[in-house]
Amino acid sequence: MRRYMSGRRARLWRGLCLAATLTFAVHPGVGSAAAEASYPVKSITMIVPFAAGGPTDVVARIVADSMSVTLGQPIIIENVVGSGGTTAVIRAKRSPPDGYTVVMGHMGTHGAAVALNPHLAYDPMRDFEPIGLVTNMPVLILARKRLDANTLGEFIELMRSRGESLNMAHAGVGSVSYATCLLLNSIVGTRPRMTAFQGTAPAMTALVEGRVDYMCDQAASVVPQIAAGTVKAYAVGTASRNLVLPDVPTSIEAGTAAFQASAWNALFVPKGTPKPVIASLNSALGKALDDDTVRSQLLRLGSEIPAPPERTPQSLAELVKSEIAKWTAAIRPANSEN
Ligand code: MLT
């Protein structure tokens, strides 16, 4: 090891060190190539836009556990609530595009929210990179146990006769529960009172306790309640009955075919996240969805697990685009009545 350098050599060495430092500082592309190749080198935050215990949170924790094993780094769930999930999505949009902040979005935050919030502070397509679809989640029409209607037909009659006095629970403008029950209200032609919660977990507690009258919620949080007999489920908004809720009729069987309501959950990162990082996250998600333990947990909650061709970032990008168009067409007229 040379112990001393001549004056000229020392100046040359210092110049080379400075040039290398500036290169990494000025052209992150050089440094980020190394960062991409070693991703992830630290824990990842998965933002959940709703309260703990709700369908979004439950699904997020199931897949995060498996993804963290594959990626070799902890995935920390952070529940960021408010404004129908849009507060969290704005936070995710503003996070560094380095793959260390992921958001669990859904049909509400990355679909219906565009029509429900004319001044939405993000664009689901422009401000995010899709990672992949996580689950398809049927939505059910629910009521408090003692409401005097035992079928969807009877409930719709009640909505028509007592619409304004009924209290509908939801998780904020932009949420699945708000968008899908807005669709139901529009079909029936009623304008109920509404109570917003920070997620459908607290909303479900209010429904079970009889503090609100009805709600439209995703199967993941309904299955345990139906098993416990704490709420009424009038119909599921999908073409066929749900495998874990075989006694709940479809909206078609119940006489209200216009109520077609199914949510989906999907992972997104901020725009500009490098492609190799997106590929790592997509691959870890795919492994989770193929894992037997994860699959049985999701299926037990009434989820439908996407087949591999539906799991690509491109297919999620196409889904977001079509869902924004679908719910904009469905909601704008309904929203104008509310
Ligand atoms: C939740 O996780 O609480 C729900 O997804 C909220 C909603 O979108 O209705």
Side-chain angles (χ1 to χ4, degrees):
M1 170 71 178
R2 190 182 310 274
R3 289 173 61 82
Y4 299 99
M5 284 186 198
S6 68
R8 184 168 172 278
R9 277 179 179 273
R11 280 193 303 278
L12 178 61
W13 180 247
R14 279 199 298 274
L16 284 174
C17 291
L18 178 63
T21 304
L22 285 174
T23 300
F24 275 86
V26 172
H27 301 291
V30 175
S32 68
E36 290 164 25
S38 57
Y39 174 86
V41 295
K42 62 182 180 181
S43 63
I44 297 164
T45 297
M46 184 180 287
I47 294 176
V48 171
F50 299 97
T56 312
D57 180 72
V58 167
V59 169
R61 290 175 193 272
I62 290 171
V63 295
D65 280 352
S66 171
M67 290 176 70
S68 65
V69 171
T70 301
L71 293 166
Q73 291 293 343
I75 296 183
I76 297 159
I77 300 291
E78 192 173 341
N79 299 85
V80 177
V81 299
S83 305
T86 57
T87 301
V89 177
I90 293 164
R91 159 93 171 273
K93 166 191 166 183
R94 292 173 180 159
S95 62
D98 56 10
Y100 291 101
T101 304
V102 179
V103 62
M104 180 65 83
H106 65 17
M107 172 276 266
T109 61
H110 284 71
V114 173
L116 290 166
N117 298 276
H119 308 295
L120 192 60
Y122 65 87
D123 179 317
M125 296 168 68
R126 188 194 60 221
D127 297 327
F128 290 91
E129 304 282 3
I131 297 295
L133 182 64
V134 178
T135 65
N136 289 305
M137 189 72 79
V139 171
L140 292 94
I141 302 170
L142 309 169
R144 62 181 170 82
K145 188 76 179 160
R146 298 187 188 288
L147 193 69
D148 45 354
N150 293 315
T151 65
L152 184 58
E154 289 174 10
F155 176 57
I156 287 176
E157 284 312 307
L158 199 65
M159 289 175 81
R160 288 199 171 113
S161 59
R162 287 175 37 198
E164 279 70 10
S165 66
L166 291 178
N167 189 345
M168 176 195 113
H170 62 87
V173 177
S175 64
V176 166
S177 47
Y178 183 86
T180 52
C181 251
L182 199 67
L183 175 64
L184 176 65
N185 297 342
S186 167
I187 293 165
V188 175
T190 182
R191 297 174 59 156
R193 290 183 293 125
M194 294 188 183
T195 304
F197 294 83
Q198 293 192 331
T200 50
M204 183 65 80
T205 301
L207 189 70
V208 169
E209 291 172 355
R211 288 184 281 122
V212 292
D213 296 311
Y214 73 102
M215 172 165 77
C216 299
D217 197 10
Q218 299 164 65
S221 49
V222 175
V223 169
Q225 300 303 337
I226 299 294
T230 55
V231 297
K232 284 177 179 170
Y234 292 126
V236 60
T238 45
S240 51
R241 293 195 178 199
N242 189 275
L243 294 177
V244 294
L245 293 167
D247 301 332
V248 180
T250 67
S251 51
I252 298 167
E253 291 170 319
T256 309
F259 183 78
Q260 292 303 310
S262 180
W264 43 267
N265 294 281
L267 290 176
F268 299 88
V269 288
K271 193 64 139 185
T273 302
K275 292 280 181 263
V277 170
I278 291 172
S280 298
L281 288 165
N282 176 270
S283 170
L285 174 58
K287 285 199 175 82
L289 296 178
D290 288 336
D291 176 81
D292 289 343
T293 304
V294 170
R295 292 179 69 86
S296 67
Q297 287 175 311
L298 292 176
L299 292 171
R300 264 205 312 271
L301 291 170
S303 307
E304 291 152 12
I305 297 172
E310 294 175 84
R311 299 175 190 172
T312 65
Q314 184 50 40
S315 61
L316 177 55
E318 289 159 11
L319 176 65
V320 169
K321 185 177 180 184
S322 65
E323 286 283 284
I324 290 171
K326 169 185 156 187
W327 284 98
T328 299
I331 283 175
R332 285 252 158 91
N335 216 14
S336 61
E337 295 161 14
N338 281 289

